[in-house]
Amino acid sequence: MAHTFGVDLRGIIDLLSHHLYSSPRVYARELLQNAVDAITARRALQPDAPGEVVIEPADSSADGTLRISDTGIGLTESEVHDLLSTLGRTSKRDELGFARQGFLGQFGVGLLSAFLVAERVRLVSRSAKGGPAVRWSADAAGNYEVEVDDAARAEVGTTIELVPGRDSDHWLGRDVVRALVAEYGELLPVTVRVGDEVLTSDELPWLTDPMGYGARVLGLEPFAAIPVEVPAVGLTGVAYVLPAGVHPGARQSHRVYLKRMLVGEAIEGLLPDWAYFVRCVVDTSSLRPTASRESLYQDETLLIVQEELGRQVRDWLVRLDATDPGRTSALMEAHHLGIKSLARVDEEMLRLVERWLPFETTDGAQSLKQFRRRYGSVLYLPDVDEFRQLAPVAHAQGMGLLNAGYAYDLEILERLVALDGPGAARRVAPSEVLAALGDPEPEVERALRARLADAAGVLERHDCEVVPRDFDPASLPALLVTNAEGERRRDVELGGAEAHDPLWAQLLGSLAESAPGAAQRLVLNCRSPLVRRLAELTDPALVELTVESLYVHALLQSRRPMRPKDTAALNRSFLDLLDRAVDNR
């Protein structure tokens, strides 16, 4: 035996209020949507029919109810039963002339949203197709009544009355109603009144005053307003470039209208991730909203729109580069991360970055093009701390280095090499910088090496060998340089020190001991007065203390993580030097 599903209207309303809609405020949008759809349907039959929606807030009416009247197509008695009293009857809805194409509503639950704020909903309607006026009344428990009352309404159209529910009076008051209608319906292509005040406009404000409208929507003056258009989905609007830097992880928040009805002010997914510094205001006729009509459905159409809008923003960047270099430079400074992200995969953006984006170099901030013009090839270091340690030395020797330790830098340089050949950019090993340093005076080197024999224990303890060199600046007494094998060994030692499992710590320790050769080089600057005095010392204990202090100082300068034995050396050398200073008073 076949049975029919029963529907608990209270349960449906609870579902709408707690799981589908974010707030009861959407009732205003749903009622506006129904009114506009009704007017659209009537104009399909009668092109000259009036298009007006009048709302009378509850605190302005004599009986304390909210009324919304429209000049739409109206409903017959049978349509009232089929459309208002049967949930989910979308196919029947289309048969009755409310086909989805060209209409705002698509889910057949609009009138139910009224029960989010009302305990009873009453409707009076007269159809443009003829027939008497019809009254319909329903409560939140799921009971409804329908009666024919030819005297109830003389004109074609519909009036809906909402009787406030408990603790819902404020949702139906003038101030709230006016604010909601202005927010959702200010751009609707019909006249919408709250009392005697018209709240709609015939023109799209971003067309008449794009920068002024952008300042109002964003709360600040935009850097630029880019007209955007995707005819395939009936989309037009403006992409606003923000004037200041935005964190790349910030949520996109675009203002989207569907057939001039607001979908939301924080819609995501309209632009590619790299365009995080752009905010759009658009109106579309074909993008699909979700069931709540508070976001867009993530489908293939939205992905196509995202790609096309991203292309239009990118083309604007290229045009700006060609026509206004000053503004291009300012834009790059404010939004370099997003543009660098795009440059990884787009050649024109790469050339824009090459011309305008300043990189940290040994000669100060320079673009890649400036750097290549001077040095031919971009020699770079991929680690920020390593660059900052070696940059003063490289600069003093006339060697140009670029810091590629920030987000997307390595990928951009690799892309540059792929396009311009291997000579365009190359990673530099620290040993190449050392090779550019001069040899010290022979007598100074001999004296220094003789003293270093007294510090063999210190050097062995820190897995370090000493290399005397002669370089500027003389104020820098020592550099600490590690090779790739040395870095791996330090990582293993740090891992072993932090391991809680003794077996794992022992295994890591054996791996560190098995690596051949010294892990680090302590480069002593023989031009430094301190290093020259070291070569003249005769006290072995003081030599050992000085060498360990130089090692710790160079390690701190390199900003590498310190192992437990490095921390112990720091404390020991400091206290020993302090003790000697106090004894010599």
Side-chain angles (χ1 to χ4, degrees):
M1 179 178 177
H3 297 276
T4 302
F5 281 104
V7 176
D8 179 1
L9 187 58
R10 287 190 182 277
I12 293 293
I13 293 170
D14 180 72
L15 176 68
L16 295 179
S17 60
H18 292 101
H19 301 286
L20 182 62
Y21 297 126
S22 61
S23 165
R25 69 203 307 271
V26 299
Y27 86 90
R29 182 194 66 204
E30 297 296 333
L31 293 180
L32 277 174
Q33 167 188 297
N34 287 347
V36 173
D37 280 352
I39 292 171
T40 303
R42 183 178 179 185
R43 284 177 169 173
L45 298 175
Q46 305 169 1
D48 296 332
E52 186 174 63
V53 181
V54 178
I55 303 171
E56 185 181 355
D59 53 3
S60 301
S61 64
D63 56 0
T65 63
L66 178 139
R67 290 184 178 82
I68 176 168
S69 303
D70 65 66
T71 59
I73 194 169
L75 299 171
T76 64
E77 182 181 4
S78 64
E79 290 171 350
V80 165
H81 284 285
D82 285 314
L83 290 176
L84 303 185
S85 309
T86 306
L87 296 179
R89 187 69 67 84
T90 55
S91 59
K92 185 67 175 175
R93 188 177 192 273
D94 292 350
E95 292 172 16
L96 297 173
F98 288 82
R100 295 181 183 181
Q101 183 63 36
F103 290 82
L104 293 170
Q106 297 189 22
F107 297 95
V109 294
L111 191 60
L112 282 180
S113 67
F115 288 109
L116 299 177
V117 296
E119 64 179 17
R120 175 169 287 276
V121 178
R122 297 192 289 258
L123 176 144
V124 179
S125 186
R126 180 180 289 276
S127 175
K129 301 173 186 176
V134 182
R135 288 183 179 274
W136 175 88
S137 177
D139 59 35
N143 305 304
Y144 75 93
E145 300 174 353
V146 179
E147 63 176 309
V148 174
D149 184 354
D150 200 42
R153 183 183 178 98
E155 303 85 9
V156 171
T158 301
T159 297
I160 297 174
E161 296 180 352
L162 305 187
V163 179
R166 185 169 54 185
D167 300 325
S168 296
D169 302 65
H170 64 287
W171 287 110
L172 307 182
R174 171 175 288 276
D175 292 342
V176 173
V177 169
R178 186 193 179 285
L180 293 177
V181 171
E183 177 183 352
Y184 288 116
E186 65 176 344
L187 303 184
L188 288 173
V190 300
T191 300
V192 179
R193 301 177 185 272
V194 175
D196 296 328
E197 183 182 5
V198 177
L199 297 182
T200 48
S201 170
D202 294 334
E203 296 182 329
L204 296 175
W206 56 81
L207 297 180
T208 56
D209 182 16
M211 292 297 284
Y213 181 75
R216 179 163 69 89
V217 170
L218 300 175
L220 44 81
E221 187 75 21
F223 181 87
I226 310 168
V228 293
E229 183 178 14
V230 185
V233 294
L235 184 147
T236 61
V238 179
Y240 289 105
V241 181
L242 300 181
V246 183
H247 192 278
R251 293 176 56 193
Q252 294 187 13
S253 53
H254 306 293
R255 190 178 184 94
V256 178
Y257 292 84
L258 178 61
K259 301 184 181 75
R260 301 183 67 155
M261 173 75 81
L262 180 68
V263 175
E265 298 179 324
I267 303 300
E268 299 183 22
L270 206 59
L271 285 174
D273 290 342
W274 62 262
Y276 62 87
F277 54 91
V278 178
R279 298 289 180 268
C280 288
V281 179
V282 299
D283 179 51
T284 176
S285 61
S286 300
L287 289 178
R288 292 173 56 195
T290 58
S292 67
R293 292 182 49 77
E294 295 175 345
S295 59
L296 296 177
Y297 192 76
Q298 300 289 322
D299 58 7
E300 185 176 353
T301 301
L302 184 59
L303 292 177
I304 293 172
V305 169
Q306 182 185 98
E307 181 179 345
E308 175 60 20
L309 291 181
R311 183 193 64 79
Q312 293 182 28
V313 172
R314 168 202 166 279
D315 289 349
W316 173 82
L317 288 169
V318 174
R319 291 195 301 273
L320 184 69
D321 178 35
T323 59
D324 197 337
R327 281 176 61 79
T328 303
S329 179
L331 180 71
M332 293 292 291
E333 183 177 350
H335 303 300
H336 59 280
L337 276 179
I339 297 172
K340 283 166 69 175
S341 175
L342 179 58
R344 298 176 300 162
V345 295
D346 186 281
E347 183 175 351
E348 287 195 79
M349 285 298 100
L350 177 67
R351 297 309 180 190
L352 187 147
V353 165
E354 184 184 14
R355 286 192 296 275
W356 295 110
L357 184 66
F359 285 78
E360 186 178 0
T361 77
T362 48
D363 295 331
Q366 288 190 354
S367 69
L368 290 175
K369 200 165 191 68
Q370 289 173 306
F371 193 85
R372 291 180 70 181
R373 189 181 299 122
R374 177 168 182 179
Y375 293 102
S377 180
V378 178
L379 303 182
Y380 64 87
L381 290 166
D383 182 86
V384 174
D385 291 335
E386 192 171 59
F387 171 82
R388 289 178 178 171
Q389 183 193 19
L390 295 177
V393 178
H395 178 68
Q397 319 315 309
M399 184 178 186
L401 294 180
L402 181 139
N403 182 4
Y406 296 109
Y408 309 127
D409 287 352
L410 281 178
E411 294 163 275
I412 286 174
L413 291 170
E414 289 168 359
R415 178 73 173 161
L416 196 64
V417 168
L419 292 174
D420 294 351
R426 180 172 62 83
R427 178 174 178 169
V428 173
S431 57
E432 292 185 61
V433 179
L434 297 184
L437 304 181
D439 294 326
E441 299 171 8
E443 59 274 14
V444 175
E445 182 178 4
R446 282 195 299 270
L448 185 59
R449 288 193 180 278
R451 299 287 75 77
L452 290 174
D454 296 331
V458 170
L459 298 175
E460 183 178 350
R461 184 162 62 242
H462 294 292
D463 195 14
C464 183
E465 64 177 355
V466 172
V467 180
R469 286 290 184 268
D470 205 50
F471 58 89
D472 287 324
S475 58
L476 183 66
L479 284 173
L480 188 65
V481 179
T482 61
N483 52 32
E485 184 61 41
E487 290 290 355
R488 283 194 291 272
R489 189 183 303 183
R490 288 182 62 86
D491 290 340
V492 168
E493 290 183 4
L494 283 171
E498 296 171 357
H500 298 293
D501 185 345
L503 182 60
W504 180 243
Q506 184 180 0
L507 175 61
L508 291 175
S510 64
L511 288 174
E513 292 172 2
S514 64
Q520 306 174 98
R521 288 182 177 180
L522 183 64
V523 183
L524 296 182
N525 184 3
C526 292
R527 291 189 185 180
S528 166
L530 178 58
V531 174
R532 285 180 172 268
R533 286 198 295 273
L534 170 63
E536 299 170 356
L537 293 177
T538 56
D539 182 354
L542 185 56
V543 169
E544 185 172 308
L545 175 59
T546 303
V547 170
E548 187 162 47
S549 298
L550 287 170
Y551 166 79
V552 172
H553 177 265
L555 177 61
L556 292 173
Q557 288 288 104
S558 70
R559 302 186 185 184
R560 294 185 180 88
M562 297 185 71
R563 301 165 295 184
K565 62 183 179 182
D566 296 327
T567 304
L570 172 63
N571 294 330
R572 183 172 55 250
S573 61
F574 174 76
L575 291 175
D576 286 353
L577 286 172
L578 186 62
D579 186 53
R580 284 179 174 268
V582 171
D583 285 346
N584 291 332
R585 284 190 60 187

